[in-house]
Amino acid sequence: MADPTVPGQTPPSSESLGSEPPRSAEITFSRGRLRFRAIDSGPADGEVVVLLHGFPQRTSSWDAVAPLLHAAGFRTLVLDQRGYCSTARPRGRRAYRLSELVGDVLALLDSANLPAAHVVGHDWGAAVAWGVAAAHPDRVRSLTAVSVPHLAAFRRAMIVSDQLLRSWYIGFFQLPWVPERVLTSDGGPAERALATMGMTPEMIARYRSEMVADGAVPGGLGWYRALPFASPGKATARVRVPTTFVWSDHDPALGRGGAERTAHYVDADYRFVEMSGASHWIPEERPAELAEEIIARAQS
């Protein structure tokens, strides 16, 4: 078996982890009136990797990746983020500004008595991870961003590439009530769109359970609805921590324009990984390859 602690070697599959169930516990912490939950798993003495999910998903989106990190000796903290966690769903669009989302990650680190951690995010989770690394580089040992490029690169791509057309749904999500009805319709256009984007029937079933049935759709939309209140700041500054950006060429939502411009906004060791043929849902579709990149970055 390959040694997962050696850079460049492929991490073992989840089938090879042995019969003993891994250590896993749900932890809770507060930030103001909000109470968050996170899944703390893997070796208790391992270096910590914070995993941040995107929209429209929750902590289960990392279920195939986390065991591979545990096998390599890492401990994972998977955060159920603001608007998704049932006890952390504030009202009002301003409550979902990027500065607040970044603050939630810092509160998680503080609750676990961690001065810093490796930070990994997919989709909106990547946007938050970029924000944490830019505004608080002292709290980030390494960054692995998946699918969503640096926010300044994304904004530039909206002007000079086809990214604006790809992001049409952001404007739709600004409408009141209508997006909620579309996204919660059983078997409706939202589920068909997710399938077109590459979600499997099993993933769509989780969407129905974790997002629709649990009432997390309005909170997830809050992240988009806070965008008009965004202002340039430290969270969109240049990143000065070791960074890997993973992007897939069959992602209909995020084009090559932002992906290729991201390198201009990282003033540290940087690696761009293009996963050929993969859809937007990289953590579920290519977990072993993604875990290998996370491990390589954390060990670099």
Side-chain angles (χ1 to χ4, degrees):
M1 179 186 298
D3 183 353
T5 65
V6 177
Q9 289 197 8
T10 303
S13 66
S14 56
E15 288 80 4
S16 67
L17 302 184
S19 57
E20 288 296 321
R23 182 192 69 88
S24 182
E26 180 177 307
I27 62 174
T28 60
F29 65 95
S30 297
R31 183 171 179 236
R33 296 182 178 181
L34 305 182
R35 190 159 184 82
F36 293 85
R37 64 181 284 271
I39 307 301
D40 182 355
S41 305
D45 59 349
E47 291 186 22
V48 174
V49 178
V50 173
L51 298 171
L52 304 173
H53 65 79
F55 177 88
Q57 297 181 296
R58 295 178 69 175
T59 58
S60 64
S61 66
W62 294 107
D63 283 356
V65 175
L68 304 177
L69 302 181
H70 303 158
F74 291 94
R75 171 187 169 194
T76 59
L77 293 176
V78 190
L79 177 61
D80 197 17
Q81 298 199 79
R82 174 180 297 240
Y84 297 84
C85 182
S86 61
T87 52
R89 293 175 182 169
R91 294 186 177 182
R93 295 192 290 173
R94 293 180 183 272
Y96 295 92
R97 289 172 296 173
L98 183 60
S99 58
E100 296 293 341
L101 307 174
V102 167
D104 296 339
V105 177
L106 300 181
L108 170 63
L109 296 179
D110 291 343
S111 72
N113 296 314
L114 294 170
H118 304 284
V119 180
V120 179
H122 172 247
D123 187 78
W124 257 113
V128 177
W130 283 114
V132 176
H136 303 277
D138 57 314
R139 307 301 300 270
V140 179
R141 299 190 65 183
S142 74
L143 167 66
T144 302
V146 187
S147 297
V148 170
H150 187 282
L151 301 181
F154 180 81
R155 286 202 303 262
R156 180 63 178 165
M158 295 277 276
I159 300 171
V160 301
S161 74
D162 66 349
Q163 187 57 56
L164 182 61
L165 292 175
R166 291 172 179 263
S167 300
W168 65 268
Y169 58 90
I170 295 178
F172 172 67
F173 287 167
Q174 304 304 312
L175 299 174
W177 308 116
V178 177
E180 279 87 345
R181 297 195 65 174
V182 171
L183 290 170
T184 58
S185 174
D186 187 16
E191 292 184 11
R192 293 194 294 271
L194 292 173
T196 300
M197 290 183 66
M199 268 199 178
T200 65
E202 293 75 17
M203 292 168 66
I204 293 175
R206 286 206 308 271
Y207 166 76
R208 292 194 197 107
S209 173
E210 298 177 353
M211 294 296 298
V212 178
D214 195 53
V217 168
L221 288 171
W223 293 43
Y224 292 94
R225 290 168 173 164
L227 287 173
F229 303 101
S231 59
K234 291 183 178 179
T236 58
R238 302 177 76 86
V239 169
R240 293 178 170 83
V241 302
T243 298
T244 295
F245 176 47
V246 181
W247 174 78
S248 48
D249 63 357
H250 283 196
D251 189 331
L254 295 152
R256 185 175 295 275
E260 293 185 343
R261 285 175 174 81
T262 290
H264 301 302
Y265 299 95
V266 180
D267 293 333
D269 183 56
Y270 176 73
R271 175 173 164 79
F272 173 52
V273 178
E274 178 177 335
M275 291 194 176
S276 179
S279 75
H280 178 73
W281 318 105
I282 294 174
E284 292 96 344
E285 194 169 328
R286 302 284 181 88
E289 293 174 58
L290 178 56
E292 185 174 7
E293 295 299 337
I294 296 170
I295 293 167
R297 172 50 64 195
Q299 293 177 337
S300 66

